[in-house]
Amino acid sequence: MPTRPKSTKRLPLTATLSTAAVLATTPLFAPFAHAAEPTDWFFAETRDDRAAALRELETRASSDNTYRHAYGTALFFGGVENFTRDLIRHGYLSGHERALGRSALPLFSNPMPEPLTYDGLRAILERFETNIENARAVLAEVDQDEPIKITLDLTDVRLQLTENAPGPLPTVSDLLEQQQITPPRTDDENEPEPITEFTFDNADAIWLEGYSNVILAQLDFALAHDFEKQFDEGFHLLFPKSGLPLQDTLAQYDVSRSRGFESEQLFDLIGLIHLADFPLQDADRRRNVIRHMGEVTRLSRANWDAILAETDNDREWLPGPQQPGVHPLSGLEVNQEMVDGWMDMLDLADAVLAGETLIQHIRFNLRYPNNEAKVGFNVRAFLESDANFDPVLLLTGHDAVPFMEEGNVLNTNEWRDMRNLFGRRNFTTVALWFN
């Protein structure tokens, strides 16, 4: 396997994952630089080379497990890149750069965006959904009994985020520098260069398949509802130069006057929240959320089974407790207590998805002292219902009433204890990392 020159950059895990997910999701993990190699797509510096590399991956994926892993991963991150390009093409957040500061999304300003309609935005989301579903299907076919090892330096991964960018494609490192995300460093000249090179294996295909389902669940939930009114009257805050109905009267922001959001933007943010009242238009899509999230928990267990069965310790992206050492990106060392705690969280998630465990609701909890709630919100019942989605009225309790039940209610003390297994400040990082 060809190797790349060692990089001197260090990518903090929280920054890298927030740049991914999204949506989730950002192109940082890519298990796979040179003709006919499974890493070609990720290192390609021109559009033509990138297209040729994807065709090569597709051709060889049918008979080679390593190329199948690489092809599924390329489809996943290609889908994320296409989605990002769609947003940039229509001027998503263009003109907001100063107000936003460091954006978690890999976006660039577009001074001349194309007009955007409600149907056009739904089409963008549906295209993203199709791309991620195609990636998920390929990743699901990776043979877990046929070992894979693909070494990649994350700072060499190329990103295709704009339509007509001149010159070579930027790297993950370029993106993090543009977003002013810099890792902490010491003045110790003897400090070793941080590691950004990882070896991706079979377990990582399961990991990414799980993330595919995370994204699909979110897309299904969004597309299950009609958000046209919010789009027409509020999305000029997100697409201020894309020809939305109230652009000329409301979206006249001058962010040069302030480092933060100016008053007009704050008014529009309040309006966007007020307009969050979404009629249900596709009940099957909303029910699909249960299926996708059930796949997330199933795949997370399968991922950890595969990790715990590993006997090597070769630059692991997600190491098990039998693979000791502080992870160079997260600064954490995985131990068995953390894995056991994660399994408990997966059990809890399954119970909530099944409607067997109810979650506490802040409005109704006020009636019960000492955290002894007797009624809770049935998430499954809501997802399976024909109710519209109004997040504000759900929060205030008005729309939650039909789904409040007596039963096994999640105790917040138990939830806090599980979170504390990973450290109070580390929980979000671990949850994104462990998937």
Side-chain angles (χ1 to χ4, degrees):
M1 180 66 61
T3 59
R4 288 278 180 171
K6 295 296 293 180
S7 170
T8 59
K9 302 292 183 184
R10 179 182 180 186
L11 311 181
L13 183 65
T14 50
T16 309
L17 287 171
S18 65
T19 304
V22 181
L23 326 148
T25 48
T26 154
L28 85 83
F29 164 75
F32 330 97
H34 178 123
E37 290 290 343
T39 51
D40 279 359
W41 186 87
F42 304 95
F43 296 137
E45 298 189 9
T46 69
R47 284 176 176 266
D48 289 344
D49 287 347
R50 203 171 179 83
L54 188 64
R55 289 193 297 270
E56 179 74 13
L57 288 176
E58 182 179 14
T59 298
R60 300 185 63 168
S62 60
S63 58
D64 188 300
N65 203 42
T66 297
Y67 281 83
R68 190 174 303 124
H69 192 332
Y71 181 48
T73 305
L75 288 176
F76 179 93
F77 289 104
V80 172
E81 290 177 344
N82 287 336
F83 179 58
T84 301
R85 287 198 299 274
D86 281 338
L87 296 180
I88 294 171
R89 186 170 64 253
H90 293 288
Y92 181 68
L93 298 181
S94 288
H96 287 23
E97 293 80 8
R98 183 164 183 147
L100 289 170
R102 297 186 313 178
S103 172
L105 295 174
L107 302 177
F108 302 85
S109 182
N110 180 1
M112 300 184 64
E114 296 179 14
L116 180 64
T117 65
Y118 173 67
D119 289 340
L121 180 56
R122 288 190 68 94
I124 288 172
L125 295 175
E126 288 169 354
R127 183 161 55 249
F128 186 30
E129 181 180 47
T130 297
N131 289 337
I132 296 300
E133 171 56 31
N134 290 340
R136 185 212 61 77
V138 173
L139 290 165
E141 294 176 356
V142 172
D143 188 347
Q144 291 298 314
D145 295 325
E146 184 179 337
I148 299 169
K149 274 184 175 288
I150 305 172
T151 300
L152 176 71
D153 192 323
L154 299 182
T155 60
D156 290 327
V157 176
R158 297 284 170 177
L159 306 173
Q160 193 175 57
L161 301 176
T162 54
E163 292 287 354
N164 298 302
L169 300 176
T171 67
V172 170
S173 178
D174 295 332
L175 173 63
L176 294 177
E177 286 184 4
Q178 181 206 353
Q179 299 298 313
Q180 299 179 358
I181 299 173
T182 55
R185 300 287 292 170
T186 71
D187 295 329
D188 186 357
E189 296 181 355
N190 297 319
E191 180 183 14
E193 291 294 340
I195 298 171
T196 59
E197 188 175 81
F198 295 88
T199 296
F200 299 94
D201 52 32
N202 301 68
D204 298 309
I206 306 174
W207 184 87
L208 196 56
E209 185 187 352
Y211 257 108
S212 298
N213 278 281
V214 171
I215 293 175
L216 291 170
Q218 295 177 66
L219 290 170
D220 264 330
F221 188 84
L223 291 167
H225 300 93
D226 179 354
F227 54 94
E228 186 170 10
K229 180 177 175 61
Q230 189 191 50
F231 176 88
D232 285 343
E233 299 181 21
F235 269 40
H236 56 269
L237 177 65
L238 306 177
F239 298 92
K241 302 178 182 179
S242 304
L244 272 69
L246 296 179
Q247 170 182 312
D248 293 339
T249 54
L250 295 183
Q252 301 300 308
Y253 310 129
D254 181 9
V255 297
S256 64
R257 299 184 319 202
S258 171
R259 283 189 168 275
F261 279 92
E262 62 171 292
S263 299
E264 289 190 30
Q265 291 172 295
L266 291 174
F267 284 130
D268 280 338
L269 179 59
I270 294 170
L272 197 68
I273 296 171
H274 180 72
L275 291 163
D277 179 9
F278 311 120
L280 180 66
Q281 70 177 39
D282 190 336
D284 288 339
R285 270 193 181 277
R286 195 160 77 181
R287 284 191 285 269
N288 277 345
V289 174
I290 300 172
R291 176 174 61 83
H292 284 307
M293 293 310 297
E295 279 294 280
V296 171
T297 60
R298 181 188 71 82
L299 289 164
S300 187
R301 289 191 181 87
N303 182 31
W304 278 103
D305 285 344
I307 291 172
L308 294 173
E310 293 173 1
T311 57
D312 64 345
N313 188 10
D314 185 10
R315 295 161 289 186
E316 305 293 336
W317 168 249
L318 179 52
Q322 82 283 12
Q323 297 162 319
V326 174
H327 194 271
L329 300 189
S330 70
L332 302 174
E333 183 168 9
V334 176
N335 57 47
Q336 189 62 48
E337 186 179 25
M338 294 169 67
V339 176
D340 292 342
W342 185 252
M343 294 300 110
D344 290 340
M345 287 192 171
L346 294 178
D347 291 341
L348 173 60
D350 283 338
V352 170
L353 290 170
E356 297 168 356
T357 293
L358 312 173
I359 62 173
Q360 292 194 17
H361 190 292
I362 187 171
R363 167 71 181 270
F364 298 93
N365 289 355
L366 297 174
R367 303 174 183 176
Y368 301 101
N370 303 320
N371 194 30
E372 295 178 352
K374 300 296 190 298
V375 298
F377 184 81
N378 190 325
V379 173
R380 185 185 184 96
F382 169 72
L383 292 173
E384 290 183 332
S385 75
D386 294 328
N388 295 332
F389 175 52
D390 186 321
V392 174
L393 291 181
L394 276 176
L395 178 65
T396 62
H398 296 77
D399 283 2
V401 170
F403 311 105
M404 298 302 298
E405 302 175 4
E406 293 185 355
N408 179 32
V409 182
L410 173 64
N411 187 292
T412 55
N413 292 331
E414 295 174 336
W415 172 246
R416 185 189 62 238
D417 291 343
M418 282 190 285
R419 289 188 52 164
N420 286 345
L421 285 174
F422 309 105
R424 181 173 299 180
R425 296 182 179 180
N426 296 329
F427 176 73
T428 300
T429 297
V430 171
L432 286 169
W433 188 26
F434 277 27
N435 185 26

